[in-house]
Amino acid sequence: MIQKPQAMILGTGRAVPARLLTNADLEKIVDTNDQWIVERTGIRQRHVVEPGVPLSELASEAAQKALDDAGVTAEEIDLIVLGTVTGDMKFPATACLVQARIGANRAAAFDLSAACSGFLYCLQVAGALMQTAGYRRVLVIGGEVLTSMIDWEDRDTCVLFGDGAGAVVLGPSEGERGVLASFMKSDGSHSSLLYNPGGGSLHPVSVEMVEQKLHGIRMNGREVFRHAVNSMAGALRQVLEDAEMTVEDLDLIIPHQANLRIIEALAKRFRLPTEKVYVNVDRYGNTSAASIPIALDEARRNGRVGPGALVGMVTFGGGFTWAAAILRL
Ligand code: UT7
């Protein structure tokens, strides 16, 4: 049974680095070509940071834009939740560094690790904390500097990822506006199909670790692809059921932007017309936790959706983790 929405979006923002890495650029680095990348992934370019630019810089810019959009000051923020697997440092949490940069002096801040599902996990956790702990103004951020963990000699993975951050400011729901349903799930038995082994307690930083290339992302692409389509379809079905809606009720669906073929397979399962599915993977590549909030901000700012629109969001990532949400803007 659908309950009254608890949290609604007051504003959104995004930040991507100016520097572009095109498929032609990658042809000079590894044995790949534009045709393969476009046909197999839909990606044409990605935004990548200049060396040394940390996640907190992108995340703070996205957060500040979301605050400006919402008309909320940093001092009014009670909580910052940041989804990422590429924080500035192992600790402190990058959410704390964002807090300091934007001056959100009153807030509690923490990071959440759910790979490409990071933003939707954060959205659900933040909504639950607003309901149970009384937070009223919450910054939810998804951001990654994935280029910091790429093995540039591995053509299977280095062509896929980009850097960026997206943010939303949440406040208490007004009327029917807000998060209507959300779902998150994990299956750790598939952790070895998509992971980054180096630099943690399993393989601490060492010359040997780097020589063995454990610092790079490892992925069994075909298996991840198969699981992604099935799990995203199941998650979307679940939130539609929870919100007592059909997919036709939604004005826009924002799927995680990992691969155009995954997005098309999902659209086919739900018989979705192209104009109802948001796609920007061609311009950004896979930005993991940042992909959905970047797309949501774009869709709001380019007029694709406005106040009152119903938006479905769905994602899948390492863990495995997957999640979905339905939101009335
Ligand atoms: O965000 C989290 C979730 N992540 C994902 O959703 C990613 C899911 N997986 C995928 O998107 C796709 O599996 C990939 C894009 C990663 C790979 O596409 P694929 O159609 O599954 O290709 P494949 O891995 O089966 O490789 C096909 C061929 C292989 O050559 P052989 O063995 O057939 O001779 C690869 O070596 O393509 C080759 N290949 C490349 N060729 C040119 C792999 N990467 C490249 C490359 N350029 N960059």
Side-chain angles (χ1 to χ4, degrees), residues 4-315:
K4 195 181 173 315
Q6 301 297 330
M8 67 177 265
I9 288 188
L10 304 178
T12 60
R14 68 177 188 276
V16 292
R19 185 172 157 215
L20 286 178
L21 187 68
T22 64
N23 293 350
D25 295 330
L26 283 163
E27 285 178 5
K28 295 176 200 142
I29 303 173
V30 280
D31 178 17
T32 190
N33 58 78
D34 178 61
Q35 189 187 355
W36 189 95
I37 301 172
V38 172
E39 281 179 8
R40 305 312 292 167
T41 72
I43 301 168
R44 293 179 184 276
Q45 62 173 41
R46 334 83 199 110
H47 291 256
V48 298
V49 295
E50 296 292 343
V53 172
L55 174 63
S56 58
E57 195 171 309
L58 295 177
S60 300
E61 187 186 331
Q64 190 56 56
K65 286 179 177 166
L67 288 170
D68 294 345
D69 185 39
V72 169
T73 65
E75 291 78 18
E76 290 177 271
I77 293 296
D78 305 308
L79 177 69
I80 303 173
V81 192
L82 168 57
T84 190
V85 292
T86 50
D88 290 22
M89 299 179 257
K90 292 230 177 295
F91 75 90
T94 303
C96 297
L97 305 176
V98 171
Q99 171 185 28
R101 272 185 190 253
I102 64 173
N105 313 322
R106 291 181 43 251
F110 64 91
D111 290 354
L112 188 156
S113 169
C116 303
S117 306
F119 176 74
L120 290 187
Y121 266 56
C122 287
L123 193 67
Q124 184 161 357
V125 167
L129 284 172
M130 287 174 75
Q131 206 175 335
T132 56
Y135 297 114
R136 289 184 60 80
R137 294 279 182 272
V138 179
L139 255 174
V140 175
I141 309 169
E144 305 284 6
V145 177
L146 284 170
T147 52
S148 66
M149 60 159 71
I150 281 175
D151 172 1
W152 292 104
E153 292 177 359
D154 178 13
R155 71 174 184 173
D156 288 347
T157 54
C158 77
V159 302
L160 303 174
F161 300 104
D163 302 329
V168 303
V169 177
L170 295 178
S173 168
E174 286 168 13
E176 298 306 307
R177 299 176 68 188
V179 180
L180 303 179
S182 48
F183 168 87
M184 55 187 195
K185 188 102 195 286
S186 318
D187 183 352
S189 68
H190 296 301
S191 56
S192 62
L193 295 177
L194 176 52
Y195 64 119
N196 173 235
S201 51
L202 181 63
H203 300 290
V205 176
S206 68
V207 174
E208 295 73 35
M209 183 276 280
V210 177
E211 279 171 357
Q212 290 166 28
K213 298 198 172 296
L214 297 178
H215 58 288
I217 296 171
R218 302 207 165 174
M219 177 167 73
N220 179 331
R222 278 185 204 180
E223 279 300 303
V224 174
F225 191 112
R226 191 171 62 81
H227 283 275
V229 177
N230 289 333
S231 302
M232 287 166 82
L236 188 57
R237 254 185 231 110
Q238 184 64 55
V239 286
L240 285 166
E241 191 181 310
D242 292 346
E244 297 174 355
M245 284 176 187
T246 67
V247 79
E248 287 76 29
D249 294 322
L250 299 178
D251 296 299
L252 185 67
I253 291 172
I254 301 179
H256 171 48
Q257 307 287 314
N259 185 321
L260 184 59
R261 289 187 297 134
I262 294 178
I263 297 171
E264 286 172 346
L266 189 71
K268 199 171 161 201
R269 286 210 188 177
F270 286 89
R271 295 199 179 86
L272 290 165
T274 335
E275 64 273 14
K276 273 205 176 181
V277 184
Y278 201 83
V279 175
N280 63 13
V281 68
D282 51 324
R283 289 178 285 126
Y284 297 111
N286 180 350
T287 57
S288 182
S291 92
I292 288 182
I294 286 176
L296 179 63
D297 183 60
E298 271 193 354
R300 282 182 75 244
R301 288 179 194 258
N302 67 21
R304 197 76 183 264
V305 284
L310 275 170
V311 180
M313 301 174 284
V314 60
T315 190

